[in-house]
């Protein structure tokens, strides 16, 4: 593990300059993120992060006698949303049911509950609330029986489209506009070459690969490093990796953004009480939020900014034949993996 | 980190009984895998694992003047496959180019090189070989220029369909037939209920979620735990999580299999020289293979068997209303996350 | 074109017995659908259809100065939803804006408008309304400029996950429970074999194929035949084909359902004024609805029931080695295409 | 139905100038394609089409006793490929087995046979050959039994990734470079605006929609019109619609290409003996090929060129606020549907 930075960050959650901890076996990741961090410090507002949404989800599976019964059940449940919210709210003072989606397949009902969960990533709160909701539904809705406490429509740690479309975790945009002079001197490339590479590799390349809601080079690497260093459930990089990089040539300046719609992070909960994790979370300023949820939101934008740093640096390197190879031979006698 | 097991394993790679190390913050994962392990020990051949394929990939992106030039280039490259193999082979004595796929998009060429890489997971070998192949192609094929050393058609650590269809990493099947008596006494359920749940949750639930080549409950959890304990690049759980669970009621006995087509594992390379990793790899018998690649292959089937243990245990629990909740409240005062 | 049936249909939209017109070059489609129709007539309630939802969509693309401006714009638009509804409503007395979804990618805004459109499939109404909404937004929201009148987040006639998850067109479930005796005498198979085949072919087969929200054998064939015969825009079979077949063995009886979440149909509009189309729509009872939208809703459940007939017949045939081949050699001297 | 054009076409299959027939209810499609056709006539080589691949597929499903048996079966079959080719070849003098792919899921085997089928689209030939191959396999491979004559890994008329990655139908690239002056005078836009729109709408928009191997605006519309006019099985527009548009600003000139990897077309077979179809095929020059398959190949590049014409025209229109609406109000008093 190593601290990299500082990164300058602004936006609707945090205005800060902070280094970030990255735990990884892929040592070239550190200088890669450091190069992006350096750029952020050279720009007035640094990396601008926007928290767009936050929610944690759990889907349950119910079996109805037939399609009409399933449809009726869903209508009754939607009309009784306030009651469902009350049932969920009784399971924890930090959990609030904010939305509900359903999918019917024949006589089966997939119900997707969506919660806010304070500073926790919320897996456990969501499961506990879903368990209470399941009991409530089985007691109050006739013709409906237990299917499963999890119906895979959540969906947790699996490659799918639903999380991006309906929301799961924090949805964060990180943006940086790099002036032409720095694109040239620090990134050794041009905005036009980065923009073209992004279209061809991250967009077209992902399309031909049969990618699903994914258009980036290596979000997963930065996510893993950050998650391990801050006690997150790192298996959530599966959906976290499904994000989008956008690069534009603006008269020589480089507009570069990373959109991460499925960031599952928490500043409290499982794994957060280990000493090094606590130290890291405190150093990141994620333990002293004025309001419930501030710690997790701050974590989310720090992760997103870190992802941008590493993504930008790698893409810039890949515009130059041989640079990636040379850089990594220099650093660890063997080339970087993973992108 | 904790050792869980032993698991009994047979098949075309290993006949063994061994415990496995799992590093995780999700402590309920240990008893979950342990329950599956216990079942494997009660069956004569245990978990039968079949290694179906192994290869590591790297795609490069080339730009041709136009479509006809791109098409000609691909034909020339395919005819000269032996020469490409020679070029790749010069970069390491462990790397061998075994196949080549292409995709043309207008005037762009995505070339996907497929290698065997001995006991290494092979990210670095593949990149090094791809770098040499890129140089060779640029020197010998007219009308073609550098696009990117990675074209996302590989594809590394991103949710896509290509890895499952064309192959990447080890492709392993793990199977266990659990006699009816044990389904009842150990799993507290019936084969019919597990089979039905698998169809509804893992198959239908994943379909409605817009899943891509994924039909399981929580492969990612076991993969992460095993990967962290054995020094793997854990970001590869993104594609590793894309596997398929199949459950069948065979006159009361339960046929249960996990197919993992994209297991990226190595017994040597980055991260494998840490003391605890070395100890774990030695204890698993993955450092004394008679032939090159034996260590990685053994690792792959151990991972697959471990995944089966955890997947089976969770699915069985989810057939029973409330069991999951009770089990995990017992274990850690808060319910399990992540499935 | 040929009329096939009658099919008996019940449910929340229609209680009827009617033949259906199918225009196709694949003549074996007719006896295939006819076999399903025959089964529907032998069961008291016939095919039970449930209309779950209806909406037509159009997405526009807006460019904001940066992510924060994009996020602000979306918040303003959501708060002003009533005004948007008014703007949309002014473009036609049949169109009503019922929901709005957004996706932000960096500084770009994808806005998905969702309308009811009466008896029309609604492509044109939705475009007209979206055009008015676009003008309104550009005039009232600062920092936002024109991107495109269509942003592919609609999405029309393209294979995606969004239509199933957020809804587009009619969402219809068709169900039929076939008594064991008829499964045997008419379908020449057993419920268990159909259920098993459905899991293996439609679910597992589609998963390994990298399918997206699709789990059926040949919905597209029946959709095409019905769409051509009733003047629909048949290019909408692209998303229409993305539906799910579910088959269950219920003590020897066969539960069989087809869920079609993306049925784009209309009883008025483009293509509906051709003589043969008018005749067909009148014969189907889709031109004399008591309320606006009744004609289109009736069409939707007729389509869904027809799809079920053809899907059931084919799956049953495929449980028997050689039957498909024999049946079609008998009918047209060459085997059926397309499934 | 209307003839539109002529379109100038060159490339590795045809050098020709020909009008094309389009049957559609969406009358604005005709002037839209006509505009692209006009551009093709103004450029020396017109639309350059490259036929990259051709094959028709059928997958069968086999059940083995267990995974090891399944794996052995696949190895035996691959070693005996020549015999399989002979078995397939006996079913028709036009069919040739050219490749074989497999996927194992637990004890299940999905075998994907790939054939050339002369001038036919090949659904029926492929099914007939698959039927013979199935019988041969069941007779010669122990431990393997019948699953299904179709396993959905083909995959026919369903939205998936496999067809693009492994190939199905004709794979054709169509390219046109439009000089700056014509971009301005005919398309009323600039290359830069078309390129930007393509990235944002066709690439990013499709990614956020959860699209699968699709990045275009409305391929399905042109495919449907052409397929209906030439007696194709129009249900194959489901996979045909999964193609990629690429647009680049080359110093003011516009590079525009449409890549269609899954074009299922035939000049003989089902539906081709209708009088108007025969007339159209003859007029298109698809009935007098010097070699078997020439007619179908010619059809394929004509389709691809037609798709390019309509795609280019629409994208150009969508770069201009309000143009689409104005154009279509002019043409049919109501706006165009479907993109």
């Amino acid at each position: 593990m190593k601290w990299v930075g500082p990164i300058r960050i602004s936006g609707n959650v945090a205005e800060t300059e902070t280094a970030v901890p990255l735990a990884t076996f892929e040592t070239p990741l550190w200088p890669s993120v450091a190069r992006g961090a350096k750029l952020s410090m050279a720009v007035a507002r640094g990396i601008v992060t926007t928290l767009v949404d936050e929610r944690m989800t759990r889907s349950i599976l119910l079996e109805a006698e037939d399609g009409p019964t399933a449809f009726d059940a869903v209508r009754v449940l939607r009309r009784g949303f306030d009651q469902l919210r009350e049932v969920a709210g009784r399971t924890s003072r930090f959990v609030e049911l904010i939305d509900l989606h359903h999918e019917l397949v024949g006589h089966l009902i997939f119900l997707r509950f969506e919660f806010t969960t304070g500073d926790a990533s919320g897996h456990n709160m969501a499961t506990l609330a879903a368990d209470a909701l399941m009991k409530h539904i089985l007691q109050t809705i006739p013709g409906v029986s237990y299917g499963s406490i999890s119906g895979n429509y959540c969906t947790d740690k699996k490659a799918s489209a639903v999380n991006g479309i309906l929301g799961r975790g924090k949805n964060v945009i990180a943006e940086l506009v790099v002036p032409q002079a720095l694109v040239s001197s620090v990134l050794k490339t041009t905005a036009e070459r980065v923009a073209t590479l992004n279209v061809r590799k991250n967009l077209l390349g992902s399309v031909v690969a049969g990618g699903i809601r994914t258009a980036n080079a290596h979000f997963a690497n930065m996510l893993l490093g950050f998650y391990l260093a801050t006690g997150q459930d790192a298996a959530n990089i599966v959906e976290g990796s499904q994000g989008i990089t956008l690069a534009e040539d603006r008269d020589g300046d480089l507009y570069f953004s990373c959109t991460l719609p499925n960031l599952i992070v928490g500043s409290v909960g499982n794994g957060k009480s280990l000493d090094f994790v606590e130290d890291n979370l405190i150093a990141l300023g994620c333990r002293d939020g004025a309001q419930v949820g501030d710690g997790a939101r701050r974590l989310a934008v720090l992760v997103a900014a870190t992802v941008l740093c590493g993504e930008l640096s790698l893409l810039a390197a890949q515009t130059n034949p041989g640079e990636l190879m040379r850089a990594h031979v220099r650093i660890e006698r063997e080339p970087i993996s993973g992108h």
Side-chain angles (χ1 to χ4, degrees), chain A residues 240-261:
Chain A
S241 73
Q242 294 181 267
I244 300 175
T245 297
L246 177 58
E248 296 175 356
D249 174 8
R250 295 188 172 175
D251 295 323
D253 295 345
L254 172 63
Y255 169 86
F256 196 85
S257 71
C258 295
T259 302
L260 295 119

Side-chain angles (χ1 to χ4, degrees), chain A residues 70-84:
Chain A
F71 181 50
D72 285 346
V74 164
R75 284 195 300 182
V76 169
L77 288 170
R78 299 195 76 87
R79 275 203 303 268
F81 182 77
D82 287 345
Q83 200 181 353
L84 297 181

Side-chain angles (χ1 to χ4, degrees), chain A residues 55-58 112 120-124 154-160 163 168-170 219-228 230-243 260-266 270 272 303 307:
Chain A
R55 63 189 63 215
M56 190 56 184
T57 64
R58 167 64 66 191
R112 189 179 195 264
S121 61
H123 298 87
N124 297 351
C154 319
T155 188
D156 194 47
K157 304 168 182 171
K158 267 101 56 188
S160 82
N163 291 338
R168 188 166 197 263
K170 315 295 194 214
F219 283 14
N221 283 330
M222 283 73 77
L223 289 176
L224 179 69
F226 201 110
Y227 276 24
L228 291 178
T230 58
Q232 310 301 316
D233 187 345
N236 283 119
I237 65 169
V238 175
E239 61 266 58
S241 73
Q242 294 181 267
L260 295 119
N262 314 311
L263 271 180
I264 316 279
V265 288
N270 266 3
K272 310 305 181 304
V303 176
V307 166

Side-chain angles (χ1 to χ4, degrees), chain A residues 27-319:
Chain A
T27 50
L29 190 63
W30 295 321
S32 182
V33 171
R35 184 158 71 151
K38 182 179 165 188
L39 286 170
S40 77
M41 296 300 292
V43 175
R45 300 214 57 216
I47 295 171
V48 180
T49 59
T50 307
L51 179 76
V52 173
D53 191 52
E54 56 177 323
R55 63 189 63 215
M56 190 56 184
T57 64
R58 167 64 66 191
S59 74
I60 63 170
L61 171 59
L62 298 166
E63 180 179 359
E65 284 165 10
D66 50 24
T69 308
F71 181 50
D72 285 346
V74 164
R75 284 195 300 182
V76 169
L77 288 170
R78 299 195 76 87
R79 275 203 303 268
F81 182 77
D82 287 345
Q83 200 181 353
L84 297 181
R85 185 159 47 188
E86 203 190 303
V87 169
R90 264 183 250 135
T91 61
S92 159
R93 65 190 174 100
F94 295 113
V95 82
E96 185 187 348
L97 181 68
I98 55 171
D99 210 344
L100 170 68
H101 284 89
H102 67 271
E103 285 262 345
L104 303 187
V105 178
H107 65 112
L108 302 174
I109 306 170
F110 294 86
L111 276 186
R112 189 179 195 264
F113 299 118
E114 305 176 14
F115 309 96
T116 52
T117 57
D119 282 301
S121 61
H123 298 87
N124 297 351
M125 273 188 221
T127 303
L128 194 59
D131 195 60
L133 288 162
M134 169 72 90
K135 275 181 205 141
H136 172 78
I137 292 168
L138 296 180
Q139 282 163 5
T140 57
I141 309 284
V144 162
S145 59
Y146 176 86
S148 174
I149 186 62
S150 167
N152 269 25
Y153 190 56
C154 319
T155 188
D156 194 47
K157 304 168 182 171
K158 267 101 56 188
S160 82
V162 72
N163 291 338
I165 291 173
L166 293 183
R168 188 166 197 263
K170 315 295 194 214
N171 182 333
V172 184
I173 302 167
E175 298 173 290
L176 181 68
V177 180
V178 188
Q180 182 167 16
L182 294 175
V183 175
S184 171
S185 63
V186 178
L187 294 175
K188 317 287 182 199
T189 187
T190 67
E192 190 274 337
R193 284 160 66 197
V194 173
T196 297
L197 179 60
N198 186 58
V199 168
R200 293 180 178 177
K201 169 192 169 78
N202 285 347
L203 287 168
L204 288 171
S206 298
V207 168
V208 295
I212 188 77
R213 276 191 64 98
T214 188
N216 66 76
H218 71 141
F219 283 14
N221 283 330
M222 283 73 77
L223 289 176
L224 179 69
F226 201 110
Y227 276 24
L228 291 178
T230 58
Q232 310 301 316
D233 187 345
N236 283 119
I237 65 169
V238 175
E239 61 266 58
S241 73
Q242 294 181 267
I244 300 175
T245 297
L246 177 58
E248 296 175 356
D249 174 8
R250 295 188 172 175
D251 295 323
D253 295 345
L254 172 63
Y255 169 86
F256 196 85
S257 71
C258 295
T259 302
L260 295 119
N262 314 311
L263 271 180
I264 316 279
V265 288
S267 59
V268 301
N270 266 3
K272 310 305 181 304
S273 51
L274 292 166
D275 284 348
F276 81 93
V277 169
E278 283 235 281
D279 292 348
N280 289 351
L281 289 171
I282 289 167
L284 290 170
C286 294
R287 275 292 171 83
D288 49 4
Q291 299 196 339
V292 169
D294 278 355
R297 284 187 283 270
R298 185 177 171 92
L299 254 182
V301 301
L302 296 183
V303 176
T306 304
V307 166
L308 184 148
C309 291
E311 180 79 359
L312 171 55
S313 186
L314 178 70
L315 273 190
Q318 295 193 346
T319 63

